[in-house]
Amino acid sequence: MPIIEVDGLRKAYGNRTVVDGVSFTVGEGEIFGILGPNGAGKTTTVECVAGLRVPDAGTVRVAGLDPRTDRDEVRQILGMQLQESELQAKLTVREALELYSAFYRRPADWRPLAERLGLTAHLRSRFASLSGGQKQRLFIALALVGSPRLVVLDELTTGLDPRGRRDTWALIEEVRASGVTVLLVTHFMEEAQHLCDRVAVIDAGRVAAMDTPAGLVSGAASPTVISFTPSEPVGRGELEALPGAVSVRERDGRLTVDGTDETVDAVISLLARRGITARRLRIADATLDDAFLDLTGRTRSRARASTPAAAERGEG
């Protein structure tokens, strides 16, 4: 039996429907990712799974339990790190870990967890004095301290530096290896591609696609990206007319062509016929970022302007 079952989930705030018929299941021991643009309904969906919000329609089950009517039992098996959380300003890291441990019947030893997350040196520090990254690591520790069967992580690595992000990924892989299921909400495509077994892309409150990261990438409109700086000008119209070409972009004299393997051959042949050298030629496979943009209809410029700090603003 799946550990999470969501069927026909709907949630509105006033006249605005935020989640509109979302359905998915998550298997035991899986890392399941939820991706989507700002305001897509991701956070509201996982808050319904955790029992923090009451759906207007549809059903949610966690290990066969209803998060609303079986709240106490669900809390014993589910840990959650919210995107925006706060603790009392004067509470120390040690006090927070000890307090949260007391909420569970079979808590984990928080000391190794604090060491793994780089919190040992800050055990006496008050919450208000912690940096954004330190607070984030503390909330991850609090989500795991109850030895949950399922952990919900909303924007897991926002605020962490690249090293901290990689260390946290390694921790989550260790957590999954111990048998814990992970429901991960993220804006980082690399994070989803690295960690997730499957991904649901939610757009405008609905599931736009659900597959493995590799499956989503293989369905991208342009599975291959060719970029180069030509030694002489090349007309965009010539490149757009090549077999398999989906789009052509130019920036500071550098051309980027989205297409297929056939497009690669056609670009190279065109340049050879014209006697043009392709400087700094790069050929790369499409990424989950490309698949995401195709599915949500966002342009590359808009997507790259979106920052993790702006995640989920206005979603509710």
Side-chain angles (χ1 to χ4, degrees):
M1 183 177 67
I3 193 168
I4 298 176
E5 298 173 278
V6 176
D7 184 23
L9 181 66
R10 296 180 184 275
K11 181 67 179 178
Y13 301 105
N15 295 325
R16 186 167 69 98
T17 299
V18 176
V19 180
D20 188 10
V22 166
S23 300
F24 62 87
T25 61
V26 179
E28 190 102 31
E30 187 175 24
I31 299 180
F32 187 90
I34 295 182
L35 300 176
N38 295 346
K42 306 184 302 298
T43 291
T44 296
T45 296
V46 297
E47 287 179 347
C48 289
V49 170
L52 300 178
R53 294 190 185 272
V54 178
D56 296 329
T59 60
V60 178
R61 294 292 182 270
V62 175
L65 302 170
D66 187 327
R68 295 172 295 171
T69 59
D70 304 310
R71 181 174 299 179
D72 291 342
E73 288 302 311
V74 169
R75 284 178 177 173
Q76 291 298 317
I77 63 174
L78 184 149
M80 186 164 190
Q81 169 260 327
L82 292 170
Q83 182 186 347
E84 295 183 7
S85 300
E86 290 292 328
L87 295 174
Q88 186 185 46
K90 294 184 178 180
L91 196 69
T92 67
V93 171
R94 177 189 288 274
E95 288 169 343
L97 290 166
E98 290 177 342
L99 176 64
Y100 273 64
S101 293
F103 296 156
Y104 299 98
R105 297 170 193 152
R106 293 178 295 276
D109 184 348
W110 58 262
R111 293 166 184 82
L113 194 57
E115 178 69 27
R116 185 70 182 81
L117 284 164
L119 294 170
T120 301
H122 306 286
L123 292 178
R124 296 183 179 180
S125 300
R126 299 187 187 278
F127 179 77
S129 70
L130 299 178
S131 69
Q134 290 163 352
K135 289 179 180 179
Q136 187 76 331
R137 291 196 295 272
L138 174 58
F139 286 122
I140 294 170
L142 297 178
L144 297 172
V145 77
S147 300
R149 287 176 59 191
L150 165 68
V151 63
V152 178
L153 303 171
D154 191 358
E155 298 299 340
L156 168 69
T157 56
T158 297
L160 299 183
D161 59 29
R163 176 60 182 271
R165 185 173 298 126
R166 292 283 178 170
D167 288 346
T168 304
W169 291 357
L171 172 66
I172 298 309
E173 289 174 325
E174 291 173 14
V175 168
R176 192 268 287 277
S178 70
V180 177
T181 303
V182 178
L183 180 59
L184 176 68
V185 178
T186 183
H187 268 69
F188 292 115
M189 299 300 130
E190 183 186 8
E191 183 165 276
Q193 198 157 3
H194 181 87
L195 289 175
C196 296
D197 299 302
R198 289 188 301 136
V199 171
V201 178
I202 295 181
D203 191 25
R206 298 183 178 183
V207 176
M210 185 160 46
D211 204 339
T212 64
L216 292 176
V217 170
S218 68
S222 51
T224 304
V225 180
I226 312 109
S227 59
F228 61 95
T229 301
S231 59
E232 297 178 17
V234 180
R236 289 180 56 176
E238 291 181 87
L239 296 172
E240 290 170 344
L242 295 177
V246 174
S247 66
V248 178
R249 305 183 303 283
E250 182 176 5
R251 182 176 181 180
D252 298 329
R254 187 165 181 80
L255 291 165
T256 300
V257 182
D258 299 317
T260 64
D261 290 342
E262 185 181 15
T263 312
V264 175
D265 294 336
V267 168
I268 293 173
S269 296
L270 172 65
L271 297 178
R273 289 196 306 271
R274 298 273 303 276
I276 296 173
T277 301
R279 296 169 179 157
R280 293 166 49 220
L281 175 66
R282 293 187 60 187
I283 300 170
D285 292 333
T287 65
L288 189 57
D289 185 60
D290 297 305
F292 173 82
L293 296 173
D294 289 340
L295 288 165
T296 60
R298 268 58 182 178
T299 65
R300 285 174 171 77
S301 59
R302 285 179 60 191
R304 286 170 183 160
S306 177
T307 63
E312 298 297 294
R313 287 176 185 165
E315 177 177 298

